[in-house]
Amino acid sequence: MSNSANPIQSSWLEFDKESGFTLENIPFGIFKTANKDARAATRIGDKVIDLSVLADFGYFDEIEMFDTNSLHQNTLNNFIALGKTCTSKVRFRIADLFSVHNSELKLNQKVLEFSIHDIEEVEMLMPISVGDYTDFYSSIEHATNVGIMFRDPANALFPNWKHLPVGYHGRSSSIVVSGTPIHRPYGQTKLESVVSPEYGPSRSMDFELEMAFVTGKKTNLGDQISVDDAKDHIFGLLIFNDLSARDIQKWEYVPLGPFLGKNFGSVISPWIVTLDALKPFWVDGPKQEPEVLPYLKTGRNGNLNIDLEVYLQAENEAPFMMAHSNMKYLYWNMAQQLAHHTVNGCNVNVGDLYASGTISGPTPDSYGSMLELCWKGTKPIKLPNGTERRFIEDNDTIIMKAYAKNEHYCISFGEVTTKILPAKI
Ligand code: CA
């Protein structure tokens, strides 16, 4: 789909234009092949392009102040740290090299052979080394649903909720890339019907449909990032499945918040889609009432219109869509999250990760967790094979997809796939 006002860029490389990995996207990731170690890549259609090879053959030589060693490393942290002035040029240069109007690369068979791989033939790795990880709680629908189920329907939201983006510091060691299976965790839980807690595998494994952003600039202790500067500090976004053991969470979380119910595995998509690529997809967020404090006030177009889908795939079955939500529903936007995070002078680093919190929409088919979809287990979901789910069963696979789409083109984030294995003996 294209029109003259905003045509999709044509490429000499043949690929599926519906894939969402067009020349308008050009995300960044880290991959390895059977005979060569980790290095940086982009993706066009189902092709993974080795950026370290393009650098070796001098295709980025004209970009000033570009240390191409950053493309030879096993994380994107040093590349991102070069700053957007540089990384945006690299992104445009890549799109230009594959443009139908440019034959520099097209005619160099040797480089093409070394640099272009089918996605099935490579292994995608963690794109960044995550220093710190913060999980927000920014969906009013999700916070309200959870408040109704676990607290008090009449006072579902805590009094602070509409005045600041609530969050907690999570754990980065257990953040892994799509495809990594996660064992059902053990822990301490307490059934409502009994007095004492017990120990065993979680009975309430859940996903949380989230998006996360990556900061691209280091700040110093004492520095604040204003809402107006926030976009400049955000390099890009990826999909985030914040796996949660609801029974462990419910028993442990008072008074300090999530701990072992959340830190046994969170899974991210391998491609970081840049904020540059998402420019056409900014939209207004929900009206914030009561009015927020001045340091949290943002103008129009603070939210991103990104469609989100979650599927549950039972073993040997086809994936079944559980929910369809959108990032635009978030009550608190990314600029507000980052401004609030640093208002006390908390410093941030390149490669830190900030998850949105479960993104639920207004309708029951747009809820971003099984806790809400099955309403604490009271409304099981029937799968096409006749079995029911209240929470995730062993050997179920959760698949999350995200894409931004307008009348001209689609920007895909790819997917996050996570198989839940039985508790480890
Ligand atoms: Ca979460």
Side-chain angles (χ1 to χ4, degrees):
M1 256 190 298
S2 67
N3 75 19
S4 54
N6 192 354
I8 175 167
Q9 300 177 68
S10 298
S11 175
W12 49 262
L13 185 73
E14 270 184 34
F15 65 90
D16 177 11
K17 304 287 185 295
E18 304 293 305
S19 67
F21 291 98
T22 61
L23 301 192
E24 284 73 21
N25 192 344
I26 312 292
F28 293 99
I30 296 286
F31 81 115
K32 70 173 182 182
T33 45
N35 51 16
K36 200 174 161 191
D37 230 348
R39 66 267 194 200
T42 190
R43 175 175 173 178
I44 300 175
D46 282 335
K47 304 290 184 193
V48 172
I49 319 292
D50 186 336
L51 299 179
S52 71
V53 171
L54 298 189
D56 284 346
F57 281 88
Y59 285 102
F60 299 124
D61 283 357
E62 279 165 29
I63 300 174
E64 279 171 34
M65 309 289 287
F66 179 27
D67 176 8
T68 55
N69 275 327
S70 59
L71 299 174
H72 286 271
Q73 297 177 10
N74 63 2
T75 74
L76 291 170
N77 293 54
N78 287 356
F79 174 72
I80 293 169
L82 294 171
K84 283 203 209 187
T85 327
C86 179
T87 56
S88 297
K89 283 180 190 159
V90 175
R91 200 176 142 267
F92 281 119
R93 174 64 174 154
I94 297 165
D96 183 46
L97 282 170
F98 286 90
S99 159
V100 76
H101 305 296
N102 188 330
S103 56
E104 291 173 63
L105 180 59
K106 180 188 176 187
L107 301 177
N108 196 335
Q109 269 310 319
K110 191 173 135 200
V111 179
L112 294 182
E113 209 172 290
F114 284 129
S115 61
I116 302 186
H117 303 269
D118 286 331
I119 198 151
E120 289 82 18
E121 289 165 10
V122 310
E123 184 185 346
M124 293 308 301
L125 305 171
M126 278 291 285
I128 45 172
S129 168
V130 182
D132 275 307
Y133 156 56
T134 301
D135 193 16
F136 285 97
Y137 191 54
S138 289
S139 156
I140 195 165
E141 288 85 357
H142 174 70
T144 304
N145 288 339
V146 173
I148 291 171
M149 278 186 272
F150 284 145
R151 296 184 339 103
D152 173 9
N155 300 287
L157 294 178
F158 275 106
N160 62 1
W161 200 91
K162 286 186 167 179
H163 294 279
L164 53 89
V166 172
Y168 72 95
H169 286 306
R171 188 163 177 88
S172 52
S173 68
S174 51
I175 299 177
V176 293
V177 75
S178 175
T180 311
I182 302 287
H183 284 278
R184 178 178 300 273
Y186 286 91
Q188 202 181 116
T189 60
K190 194 188 85 64
L191 297 172
E192 270 166 35
S193 51
V194 296
V195 182
S196 301
E198 59 179 307
Y199 166 81
S202 166
R203 295 184 186 94
S204 318
M205 268 291 285
D206 200 358
F207 58 76
E208 289 192 333
L209 174 62
E210 308 194 17
M211 293 295 289
F213 68 84
V214 180
T215 40
K217 275 188 182 182
K218 180 182 165 59
T219 63
N220 295 314
L221 205 53
D223 289 350
Q224 297 179 334
I225 298 173
S226 71
V227 282
D228 294 332
D229 289 342
K231 281 183 188 174
D232 197 36
H233 286 259
I234 298 172
F235 176 73
L237 283 83
L238 32 74
I239 313 169
F240 195 93
N241 179 357
D242 190 22
L243 290 167
S244 301
R246 298 300 180 193
D247 43 1
I248 297 172
Q249 178 187 355
K250 187 172 178 241
W251 173 232
E252 75 177 359
Y253 88 122
V254 182
L256 286 185
F259 187 33
L260 305 183
K262 298 270 190 177
N263 68 4
F264 58 91
S266 299
V267 195
I268 61 173
S269 51
W271 299 104
I272 305 180
V273 174
T274 65
L275 223 51
D276 286 345
L278 295 168
K279 249 177 214 156
F281 302 100
W282 290 102
V283 292
D284 287 339
K287 185 172 166 51
Q288 296 183 317
E289 190 66 57
E291 208 172 312
V292 299
L293 286 169
Y295 81 94
L296 288 171
K297 250 182 212 158
T298 52
R300 297 187 58 123
N301 293 324
N303 281 32
L304 281 167
N305 182 5
I306 299 173
D307 276 277
L308 309 167
E309 296 172 357
V310 192
Y311 299 80
L312 187 148
Q313 182 172 25
E315 207 167 26
N316 303 318
E317 302 283 339
F320 174 73
M321 195 195 278
M322 305 284 278
H324 185 167
S325 188
N326 193 299
M327 194 181 177
K328 72 183 176 190
Y329 296 136
L330 286 175
Y331 190 85
W332 294 103
N333 63 45
M334 295 185 291
Q336 293 173 321
Q337 290 169 343
L338 198 51
H340 185 65
H341 201 306
T342 59
V343 74
N344 65 347
C346 173
N347 52 332
V348 305
N349 285 301
V350 173
D352 287 353
L353 210 53
Y354 310 78
S356 56
T358 308
I359 306 173
S360 292
T363 54
D365 59 353
S366 63
Y367 293 167
S369 67
M370 287 187 77
L371 177 70
E372 296 162 89
L373 289 165
C374 302
W375 210 255
K376 220 166 68 170
T378 60
K379 295 178 185 169
I381 287 180
K382 207 170 186 127
L383 299 183
N385 68 4
T387 63
E388 287 183 344
R389 289 293 183 281
R390 288 174 168 79
F391 287 101
I392 307 171
E393 301 281 335
D394 289 347
N395 300 310
D396 282 348
T397 298
I398 302 299
I399 303 161
M400 294 180 176
K401 300 181 184 185
Y403 53 91
K405 203 172 187 171
N406 62 20
E407 66 270 42
H408 306 297
Y409 56 81
C410 172
I411 299 282
S412 175
F413 287 78
E415 61 182 47
V416 173
T417 299
T418 312
K419 186 170 185 175
I420 302 301
L421 302 177
K424 216 168 180 173
I425 308 294

